[in-house]
Amino acid sequence: MALVNYSLWSARQGTLPPTIKAVYPEEGADKITGAYLAVPSNIPPEYKPVAFKIINYLLSDDQQIRLLTTMFQYPGTDITDQAPPIVWEILPKLEVLTKTAIPRERIRKDLIDYIKAHAKELAP
């Protein structure tokens, strides 16, 4: 998906035709990628508030909308209803992908299970 997103961004910059759009094959997509933001438990205590501020900033509605409308990266939070309609003319809505993709729970299940098991230790 990163290549697609980069191509869409490049089209907005004028380096590729502006008519480029993303589509998913009718046969389905292989997966929905994911990313994780975490604050290591072993960093100095005075760094943790700053790390959490950065994470909160990156997950803010403003930044998620910016990510969606500039780089055509799917948001990490549920802000799809706040996106300008032009986004969905270029990029398929996430529910189109989720109909056929491998569920996020099955991708890096080991990591997801670890986070679930150790969430209390990882959270401030």
Side-chain angles (χ1 to χ4, degrees):
M1 190 53 140
L3 181 58
V4 171
N5 297 332
Y6 181 74
S7 298
L8 295 171
W9 177 82
S10 295
R12 296 269 313 261
Q13 305 307 305
T15 58
L16 287 174
T19 54
I20 288 180
K21 294 185 178 5
V23 297
Y24 293 108
E26 290 180 18
E27 301 80 18
D30 60 348
K31 66 178 183 171
I32 302 171
T33 57
Y36 302 92
L37 301 172
V39 177
S41 60
N42 62 346
I43 64 172
E46 63 271 16
Y47 290 8
K48 288 184 181 183
V50 174
F52 284 111
K53 276 187 176 185
I54 291 169
I55 288 174
N56 287 333
Y57 172 74
L58 293 173
L59 293 175
S60 71
D61 289 355
D62 179 60
Q63 291 306 305
Q64 292 294 302
I65 290 288
R66 189 177 300 223
L67 186 68
L68 181 60
T69 58
T70 305
M71 291 297 297
F72 297 100
Q73 295 280 340
Y74 285 107
T77 60
D78 189 13
I79 51 90
T80 55
D81 60 332
Q82 297 176 42
I86 188 70
V87 167
W88 307 123
E89 293 175 20
I90 297 169
L91 190 66
K93 286 192 174 184
L94 192 55
E95 59 261 17
V96 172
L97 176 59
T98 58
K99 287 181 184 177
T100 57
I102 297 170
R104 287 184 178 191
E105 308 82 64
R106 288 184 40 213
I107 299 169
R108 290 302 318 256
K109 186 173 178 348
D110 58 330
L111 181 58
I112 292 169
D113 288 345
Y114 179 85
I115 292 169
K116 285 180 181 177
H118 299 280
K120 288 184 180 178
E121 300 164 32
L122 301 172

mmCIF file with all atom_site columns, all heavy atoms in Angstrom, residues 28 39 48 54 64 90 96 110 121 124:
data_model
loop_
_atom_site.group_PDB
_atom_site.id
_atom_site.type_symbol
_atom_site.label_atom_id
_atom_site.label_alt_id
_atom_site.label_comp_id
_atom_site.label_asym_id
_atom_site.label_entity_id
_atom_site.label_seq_id
_atom_site.pdbx_PDB_ins_code
_atom_site.Cartn_x
_atom_site.Cartn_y
_atom_site.Cartn_z
_atom_site.occupancy
_atom_site.B_iso_or_equiv
_atom_site.pdbx_formal_charge
_atom_site.auth_seq_id
_atom_site.auth_comp_id
_atom_site.auth_asym_id
_atom_site.auth_atom_id
_atom_site.pdbx_PDB_model_num
ATOM 1  N N   . GLY A 1 28  ? -9.908  -9.402  -4.071 1.00 0.00 ? 28  GLY A N   1
ATOM 2  C CA  . GLY A 1 28  ? -9.573  -9.106  -2.689 1.00 0.00 ? 28  GLY A CA  1
ATOM 3  C C   . GLY A 1 28  ? -8.148  -8.622  -2.527 1.00 0.00 ? 28  GLY A C   1
ATOM 4  O O   . GLY A 1 28  ? -7.327  -8.726  -3.428 1.00 0.00 ? 28  GLY A O   1
ATOM 5  N N   . VAL A 1 39  ? 5.621   3.556   23.834 1.00 0.00 ? 39  VAL A N   1
ATOM 6  C CA  . VAL A 1 39  ? 6.634   4.215   24.643 1.00 0.00 ? 39  VAL A CA  1
ATOM 7  C C   . VAL A 1 39  ? 7.339   3.111   25.439 1.00 0.00 ? 39  VAL A C   1
ATOM 8  O O   . VAL A 1 39  ? 6.697   2.424   26.232 1.00 0.00 ? 39  VAL A O   1
ATOM 9  C CB  . VAL A 1 39  ? 6.005   5.245   25.605 1.00 0.00 ? 39  VAL A CB  1
ATOM 10 C CG1 . VAL A 1 39  ? 7.067   5.867   26.493 1.00 0.00 ? 39  VAL A CG1 1
ATOM 11 C CG2 . VAL A 1 39  ? 5.255   6.316   24.819 1.00 0.00 ? 39  VAL A CG2 1
ATOM 12 N N   . LYS A 1 48  ? 8.975   10.210  29.337 1.00 0.00 ? 48  LYS A N   1
ATOM 13 C CA  . LYS A 1 48  ? 7.677   9.605   29.050 1.00 0.00 ? 48  LYS A CA  1
ATOM 14 C C   . LYS A 1 48  ? 6.575   10.626  28.750 1.00 0.00 ? 48  LYS A C   1
ATOM 15 O O   . LYS A 1 48  ? 5.833   10.441  27.784 1.00 0.00 ? 48  LYS A O   1
ATOM 16 C CB  . LYS A 1 48  ? 7.264   8.656   30.172 1.00 0.00 ? 48  LYS A CB  1
ATOM 17 C CG  . LYS A 1 48  ? 8.097   7.395   30.160 1.00 0.00 ? 48  LYS A CG  1
ATOM 18 C CD  . LYS A 1 48  ? 7.652   6.396   31.193 1.00 0.00 ? 48  LYS A CD  1
ATOM 19 C CE  . LYS A 1 48  ? 8.561   5.174   31.111 1.00 0.00 ? 48  LYS A CE  1
ATOM 20 N NZ  . LYS A 1 48  ? 8.168   4.121   32.010 1.00 0.00 ? 48  LYS A NZ  1
ATOM 21 N N   . ILE A 1 54  ? 3.786   13.305  22.014 1.00 0.00 ? 54  ILE A N   1
ATOM 22 C CA  . ILE A 1 54  ? 4.028   13.068  20.584 1.00 0.00 ? 54  ILE A CA  1
ATOM 23 C C   . ILE A 1 54  ? 3.015   12.073  20.032 1.00 0.00 ? 54  ILE A C   1
ATOM 24 O O   . ILE A 1 54  ? 2.420   12.295  18.969 1.00 0.00 ? 54  ILE A O   1
ATOM 25 C CB  . ILE A 1 54  ? 5.476   12.584  20.346 1.00 0.00 ? 54  ILE A CB  1
ATOM 26 C CG1 . ILE A 1 54  ? 6.449   13.728  20.639 1.00 0.00 ? 54  ILE A CG1 1
ATOM 27 C CG2 . ILE A 1 54  ? 5.656   12.061  18.925 1.00 0.00 ? 54  ILE A CG2 1
ATOM 28 C CD1 . ILE A 1 54  ? 7.900   13.307  20.690 1.00 0.00 ? 54  ILE A CD1 1
ATOM 29 N N   . GLN A 1 64  ? -4.329  13.083  11.734 1.00 0.00 ? 64  GLN A N   1
ATOM 30 C CA  . GLN A 1 64  ? -4.849  11.936  10.996 1.00 0.00 ? 64  GLN A CA  1
ATOM 31 C C   . GLN A 1 64  ? -5.495  12.379  9.680  1.00 0.00 ? 64  GLN A C   1
ATOM 32 O O   . GLN A 1 64  ? -5.313  11.741  8.650  1.00 0.00 ? 64  GLN A O   1
ATOM 33 C CB  . GLN A 1 64  ? -5.834  11.145  11.859 1.00 0.00 ? 64  GLN A CB  1
ATOM 34 C CG  . GLN A 1 64  ? -5.180  10.437  13.028 1.00 0.00 ? 64  GLN A CG  1
ATOM 35 C CD  . GLN A 1 64  ? -4.230  9.346   12.581 1.00 0.00 ? 64  GLN A CD  1
ATOM 36 O OE1 . GLN A 1 64  ? -4.616  8.420   11.892 1.00 0.00 ? 64  GLN A OE1 1
ATOM 37 N NE2 . GLN A 1 64  ? -2.966  9.468   12.956 1.00 0.00 ? 64  GLN A NE2 1
ATOM 38 N N   . ILE A 1 90  ? -10.577 9.278   -4.571 1.00 0.00 ? 90  ILE A N   1
ATOM 39 C CA  . ILE A 1 90  ? -9.227  8.850   -4.944 1.00 0.00 ? 90  ILE A CA  1
ATOM 40 C C   . ILE A 1 90  ? -8.856  7.544   -4.268 1.00 0.00 ? 90  ILE A C   1
ATOM 41 O O   . ILE A 1 90  ? -8.213  6.680   -4.852 1.00 0.00 ? 90  ILE A O   1
ATOM 42 C CB  . ILE A 1 90  ? -8.206  9.956   -4.579 1.00 0.00 ? 90  ILE A CB  1
ATOM 43 C CG1 . ILE A 1 90  ? -8.505  11.221  -5.384 1.00 0.00 ? 90  ILE A CG1 1
ATOM 44 C CG2 . ILE A 1 90  ? -6.770  9.495   -4.798 1.00 0.00 ? 90  ILE A CG2 1
ATOM 45 C CD1 . ILE A 1 90  ? -7.748  12.432  -4.928 1.00 0.00 ? 90  ILE A CD1 1
ATOM 46 N N   . VAL A 1 96  ? -14.200 -1.113  2.101  1.00 0.00 ? 96  VAL A N   1
ATOM 47 C CA  . VAL A 1 96  ? -14.025 -1.847  0.844  1.00 0.00 ? 96  VAL A CA  1
ATOM 48 C C   . VAL A 1 96  ? -12.895 -2.857  1.000  1.00 0.00 ? 96  VAL A C   1
ATOM 49 O O   . VAL A 1 96  ? -13.012 -4.007  0.594  1.00 0.00 ? 96  VAL A O   1
ATOM 50 C CB  . VAL A 1 96  ? -13.727 -0.871  -0.324 1.00 0.00 ? 96  VAL A CB  1
ATOM 51 C CG1 . VAL A 1 96  ? -13.357 -1.622  -1.590 1.00 0.00 ? 96  VAL A CG1 1
ATOM 52 C CG2 . VAL A 1 96  ? -14.915 0.051   -0.544 1.00 0.00 ? 96  VAL A CG2 1
ATOM 53 N N   . ASP A 1 110 ? 1.248   -12.342 17.015 1.00 0.00 ? 110 ASP A N   1
ATOM 54 C CA  . ASP A 1 110 ? 2.155   -12.458 18.153 1.00 0.00 ? 110 ASP A CA  1
ATOM 55 C C   . ASP A 1 110 ? 2.349   -11.110 18.845 1.00 0.00 ? 110 ASP A C   1
ATOM 56 O O   . ASP A 1 110 ? 2.326   -11.015 20.068 1.00 0.00 ? 110 ASP A O   1
ATOM 57 C CB  . ASP A 1 110 ? 3.506   -13.041 17.724 1.00 0.00 ? 110 ASP A CB  1
ATOM 58 C CG  . ASP A 1 110 ? 4.195   -12.212 16.648 1.00 0.00 ? 110 ASP A CG  1
ATOM 59 O OD1 . ASP A 1 110 ? 3.492   -11.563 15.823 1.00 0.00 ? 110 ASP A OD1 1
ATOM 60 O OD2 . ASP A 1 110 ? 5.432   -12.199 16.616 1.00 0.00 ? 110 ASP A OD2 1
ATOM 61 N N   . GLU A 1 121 ? 1.409   -3.074  31.884 1.00 0.00 ? 121 GLU A N   1
ATOM 62 C CA  . GLU A 1 121 ? 2.828   -2.775  32.109 1.00 0.00 ? 121 GLU A CA  1
ATOM 63 C C   . GLU A 1 121 ? 3.309   -1.663  31.169 1.00 0.00 ? 121 GLU A C   1
ATOM 64 O O   . GLU A 1 121 ? 4.194   -0.885  31.519 1.00 0.00 ? 121 GLU A O   1
ATOM 65 C CB  . GLU A 1 121 ? 3.675   -4.023  31.846 1.00 0.00 ? 121 GLU A CB  1
ATOM 66 C CG  . GLU A 1 121 ? 3.357   -5.201  32.718 1.00 0.00 ? 121 GLU A CG  1
ATOM 67 C CD  . GLU A 1 121 ? 3.955   -6.484  32.141 1.00 0.00 ? 121 GLU A CD  1
ATOM 68 O OE1 . GLU A 1 121 ? 5.021   -6.416  31.501 1.00 0.00 ? 121 GLU A OE1 1
ATOM 69 O OE2 . GLU A 1 121 ? 3.350   -7.537  32.329 1.00 0.00 ? 121 GLU A OE2 1
ATOM 70 N N   . PRO A 1 124 ? 1.147   4.136   30.954 1.00 0.00 ? 124 PRO A N   1
ATOM 71 C CA  . PRO A 1 124 ? 1.662   4.940   32.073 1.00 0.00 ? 124 PRO A CA  1
ATOM 72 C C   . PRO A 1 124 ? 0.772   4.854   33.296 1.00 0.00 ? 124 PRO A C   1
ATOM 73 O O   . PRO A 1 124 ? -0.370  4.565   33.234 1.00 0.00 ? 124 PRO A O   1
ATOM 74 C CB  . PRO A 1 124 ? 1.664   6.363   31.505 1.00 0.00 ? 124 PRO A CB  1
ATOM 75 C CG  . PRO A 1 124 ? 0.656   6.361   30.415 1.00 0.00 ? 124 PRO A CG  1
ATOM 76 C CD  . PRO A 1 124 ? 0.626   4.944   29.888 1.00 0.00 ? 124 PRO A CD  1
#
